[in-house]
Amino acid sequence: MKFNTTLLHGNAVNRYAYGATQPSVCQSSAFHYPSAEELEDVFQGRVPGHAYTRCSNPTVDALERRLAEVEGGLAAVACASGMAAVTTAILNLVCAGDEIVSSSALFGGTAEFLEDLERFGVKTHYVPKLTAESVKPLLNERTRLVFGEVISNPSLAVTDVRAVAEVAHAAGVPLVLDATTVTPWILRPIELGADIVIHSVSKYIAGSGNAISGVIIDSGNFKWDATKHRALAHSAKFGRFAFTAQLRNAIWKNLGGCIAPQNAYLAVNGLETLGLRMERICANAKALAESLDGLPGVTVTYPTLASHPDHELIARDFRGLGCGIVTLRLGSRERAFRFMNALRHVCLATNIGDVRTLVIAPEKTINAHSTPEQIAAAGVFPDTVRVSVGIEDAEDLIEDFRQAIAAANAADAADGKTE
């Protein structure tokens, strides 16, 4: 089956009770069994079943199975948020004294978390961009993972997944990627060698800005060495499932960052239209970027533009598709605010992946708690505007953005400023 058919009719789509086409929302905290022996067997993992919703739940299980299938992974673990997925996946692999190699072009919350890890004795070595050439010199006997974003938010740097995976694997290190901005509709990183894939499900998968959630997807392909990855020592006996078993039996379960069943249901509901929405979002983003590129008073960054340094990589590995984000620079913070305030059909709000087009100036909002060095490394400037493109009619978006840029230019002219 192709992508959209799999979303609706894949092997992970269960035949739900009473002929329902969607999983029921199971809001029960606990689950009753006929005997003490059966309840104990479920707790011990000897038989399948649910004991407590913090650890597993039928609605959450439906989401996990469907996301694992659509991403081409062995198993998935859903989390309370995208940040919960990032933090839990990384904590599952590291102990004090271990090291990480990461791109510095990261979402602000992720950069702050890696800084937090320093207090626990886990050091991160940063590279400006995740490439085979930049990663290889930093790999050593203490490196436990290579981490980055497939397409960074908001700088839109693109990772050559295949090349970075080859270098990481040669050193016996897994590649862990946040694929939120691409979704499996654009790219399935596991097919190019990624070992662990993370999504903020709150974004494109849920799709309507109505459910905070995240997911960790295990490819099942990495050969875990318990002597190297000490954090997985107790789960090495599970072989291909070692990473997921450790998540479920230890760090994920103990941190308690479980997804609410209602949010899991909303994410399942959103997942079914992911392909249709992403097709429209990417087409709109490309049309908007091309229409604004070259206009006076604005600099446009988008992966398919010929001016983007990774446009050939996008053509080769990403089916020529970009993503749903367009990044603009307006020349000054004042001009950026004038531009945003002049928009008519756009929401000034955080989040990406909504059906609505959203804009935000990230420097003092999303990156409000980042250091100046982290902000610069993320490709954020005082005049940066991140645009999360929605499913509106492209013609309306183009007209709105062009008139807002013209309004900012006119305000500058009135103030006697030159562009």
Side-chain angles (χ1 to χ4, degrees):
M1 289 183 285
K2 294 188 177 181
F3 189 84
N4 290 307
T5 310
T6 301
L7 292 178
L8 300 174
H9 303 290
N11 294 329
V13 179
N14 293 331
R15 301 298 176 257
Y16 304 114
Y18 308 111
T21 57
Q22 292 280 341
S24 300
V25 180
C26 181
Q27 285 291 149
S28 179
S29 298
F31 302 84
H32 166 71
Y33 288 88
S35 69
E37 289 82 2
E38 289 175 75
L39 180 59
E40 183 179 274
D41 282 342
V42 171
F43 263 92
Q44 293 294 319
R46 290 190 288 263
V47 298
H50 306 284
Y52 190 59
T53 281
R54 174 167 61 83
C55 304
S56 67
N57 173 281
T59 315
V60 175
D61 179 69
L63 173 64
E64 290 171 339
R65 290 175 182 274
R66 294 176 78 164
L67 285 173
E69 179 176 48
V70 75
E71 194 63 82
L74 178 70
V77 177
C79 303
S81 66
M83 274 308 305
V86 169
T87 57
T88 308
I90 292 175
L91 287 172
N92 201 48
L93 291 173
V94 296
C95 298
D98 289 343
E99 297 183 359
I100 298 167
V101 175
S102 173
S103 165
S104 58
L106 296 172
F107 169 67
T110 303
E112 292 169 33
F113 166 67
L114 293 178
E115 184 179 8
D116 290 338
L117 280 182
E118 299 271 351
R119 295 189 288 118
F120 299 94
V122 178
K123 181 176 179 59
T124 301
H125 298 282
Y126 294 99
V127 295
K129 183 180 178 184
L130 209 61
T131 66
E133 294 76 18
S134 65
V135 167
K136 188 173 183 179
L138 297 177
L139 298 172
N140 59 55
E141 69 278 1
R142 294 181 297 278
T143 308
R144 297 296 173 262
L145 69 140
V146 174
F147 179 81
E149 298 175 8
V150 178
I151 297 183
S152 61
N153 168 21
S155 64
L156 303 184
V158 184
T159 298
D160 186 339
V161 178
R162 196 189 312 273
V164 176
E166 288 176 358
V167 168
H169 294 164
V173 173
L175 176 59
V176 181
L177 291 176
D178 184 333
T180 298
T181 54
V182 293
T183 81
W185 183 77
I186 295 175
L187 181 78
R188 302 209 304 182
I190 289 171
E191 294 177 349
L192 299 182
D195 302 292
I196 307 297
V197 174
I198 298 165
H199 288 279
S200 176
V201 179
S202 321
K203 310 302 191 291
Y204 296 98
I205 291 172
S208 295
N210 60 0
I212 299 296
S213 48
V215 71
I216 305 163
I217 300 167
D218 181 1
S219 71
N221 295 330
F222 192 78
K223 294 179 172 58
W224 301 104
D225 180 354
T227 61
K228 186 180 184 75
H229 286 92
R230 296 171 292 156
L232 301 183
H234 295 297
S235 299
K237 61 185 177 183
F238 294 105
R240 295 182 67 205
F241 285 92
F243 178 86
T244 298
Q246 185 68 18
L247 271 179
R248 290 206 177 275
N249 295 327
I251 195 73
W252 172 84
K253 180 189 72 171
N254 296 336
L255 286 176
C258 60
I259 180 176
Q262 178 67 38
N263 283 9
Y265 168 79
L266 291 170
V268 168
N269 193 262
L271 177 65
E272 294 187 336
T273 60
L274 175 63
L276 297 178
R277 286 184 287 105
M278 288 305 297
E279 184 174 3
R280 177 61 171 259
I281 285 169
C282 289
N284 278 358
K286 184 174 185 289
L288 181 64
E290 290 176 350
S291 73
L292 303 182
D293 191 32
L295 287 182
V298 61
T299 301
V300 182
T301 300
Y302 190 69
T304 64
L305 292 177
S307 58
H308 194 286
D310 300 316
H311 71 275
E312 291 182 358
L313 177 59
I314 287 289
R316 189 191 75 192
D317 289 348
F318 295 71
R319 298 188 293 133
L321 302 166
C323 62
I325 298 173
V326 178
T327 302
L328 308 177
R329 292 191 64 183
L330 277 297
S332 70
R333 181 175 182 271
E334 181 183 44
R335 274 178 52 80
F337 277 42
R338 284 176 170 173
F339 159 75
M340 290 193 295
N341 291 337
L343 290 166
R344 299 166 180 163
H345 307 312
V346 175
C347 296
L348 277 62
T350 189
N351 200 22
I352 61 173
D354 201 312
V355 290
R356 302 155 191 81
T357 296
L358 313 175
V359 300
I360 194 167
E363 184 197 30
K364 296 185 183 298
T365 53
I366 300 166
N367 292 93
H369 303 292
S370 300
T371 65
E373 293 76 17
Q374 288 170 337
I375 293 172
V380 172
F381 304 91
D383 65 334
T384 297
V385 175
R386 184 189 71 184
V387 183
S388 173
V389 181
I391 64 170
E392 299 93 342
D393 291 301
E395 295 83 356
D396 291 330
L397 289 177
I398 290 168
E399 187 278 331
D400 195 13
F401 275 73
R402 291 175 73 97
Q403 69 79 25
I405 292 168
N409 291 342
D412 270 2
D415 290 344
K417 296 177 182 178
T418 56
E419 297 169 9

